[in-house]
Amino acid sequence: MLFAICITASAQVKHSQKQPIKTKATTQYTVFDSIANRANVSFKAPNGFREVPALNNEDFTFDYAMDIPGHEFEVWYQVRSQKENWASYERFKSDEQLKLANPDSIYKDIARAHAIAFTGQRNSFVRVLPPAALKRYNADAGRSYMLTLEDMPETKHYQYALLIALQKYHTGTILIVCFTNQKDPEFYKNVERAGSSLKFKPIPQNVNKLAD
């Protein structure tokens, strides 16, 4: 009987080991996941990161945020669907009085506005992302800004940030902001890890791409 009990207990342990441990999703994550899905963006938090409250006020509106415990590194995400904007543009683009901007270029305005808000300056260093970087995100266009930040409590007095803005034509935009006090190799490794956590889903698109 003792042998049978041990066999049963062993089987129960093996069965339990096969079952993945599920953690309860936070409200912030659930809302962000819904926003990302509407923009055809997939997200998976990288190992070693933990969720922190995302800043959402009159000056800065972000959907999700993470940091790395014990390191001076934090990342904020903003994701927006452009499908409704594109539908409106298609409907009224011939109206000369409205003069609607093409939604497929909106990522530039989003990036520029945030760069100014973070630095208080209009001359931040900007770089057009090469095809290899865009492919990593399944994006069609993108830019990056290396920022020297204003000393603000909203950004937790971080000194620097790398801002990445991405566009999937007819679909959506992604904004990633990575904060640090040291622009060293570890920072850029963490940027790559944080950036690899989300990308546009590889849905087929038949659109004319704009020149950046």
Side-chain angles (χ1 to χ4, degrees):
M1 182 176 293
L2 180 60
F3 177 76
I5 292 174
C6 290
I7 291 295
T8 302
S10 176
Q12 290 175 344
V13 169
K14 289 181 179 179
H15 178 73
S16 64
Q17 289 175 342
K18 294 180 182 179
Q19 301 301 314
I21 298 175
K22 297 182 179 179
T23 56
K24 185 178 180 181
T26 64
T27 300
Q28 180 176 246
Y29 178 87
T30 301
V31 172
F32 177 54
D33 187 56
S34 176
I35 293 171
N37 281 328
R38 288 199 296 272
N40 282 324
V41 171
S42 62
F43 174 78
K44 182 179 180 181
N47 293 331
F49 285 67
R50 68 177 176 185
E51 180 182 303
V52 295
L55 184 62
N56 186 352
N57 60 23
E58 294 180 355
D59 300 316
F60 302 101
T61 302
F62 286 84
D63 308 309
Y64 198 72
M66 298 184 296
D67 69 1
I68 303 177
H71 296 72
E72 294 181 335
F73 182 87
E74 191 162 328
V75 57
W76 299 356
Y77 300 102
Q78 182 198 92
V79 176
R80 294 290 180 269
S81 171
Q82 297 301 328
K83 296 171 188 174
E84 292 182 2
N85 289 343
W86 183 259
S88 296
Y89 176 77
E90 284 284 275
R91 184 178 178 184
F92 297 109
K93 66 181 179 181
S94 60
D95 192 323
E96 293 295 330
Q97 293 183 340
L98 291 178
K99 295 181 180 180
L100 296 177
N102 191 315
D104 283 343
S105 64
I106 197 171
Y107 76 100
K108 300 177 187 178
D109 297 327
I110 294 173
R112 189 181 303 112
H114 279 83
I116 294 172
F118 281 125
T119 65
Q121 302 177 0
R122 295 179 177 272
N123 58 348
S124 299
F125 178 75
V126 58
R127 175 173 174 258
V128 176
L129 295 182
L134 296 176
K135 185 177 180 181
R136 189 184 314 154
Y137 299 102
N138 288 325
D140 294 317
R143 292 184 174 190
S144 67
Y145 290 72
M146 192 68 231
L147 308 176
T148 299
L149 304 173
E150 283 194 306
D151 187 13
M152 296 183 292
E154 291 89 345
T155 55
K156 303 178 183 178
H157 305 286
Y158 278 107
Q159 297 181 50
Y160 308 107
L162 179 64
L163 184 155
I164 302 171
L166 302 158
Q167 179 92 27
K168 185 75 171 177
Y169 291 146
H170 292 32
T171 304
T173 58
I174 292 174
L175 193 71
I176 306 169
V177 188
C178 299
F179 298 90
T180 186
N181 289 320
Q182 298 290 334
K183 293 184 288 184
D184 55 11
E186 182 182 5
F187 168 65
Y188 291 101
K189 288 180 182 178
N190 290 331
V191 168
E192 186 171 348
R193 293 174 62 204
S196 65
S197 64
L198 80 172
K199 64 178 65 177
F200 290 105
K201 298 175 184 177
I203 57 175
Q205 294 286 351
N206 183 21
V207 298
N208 295 321
K209 297 184 177 181
L210 299 177
D212 199 316

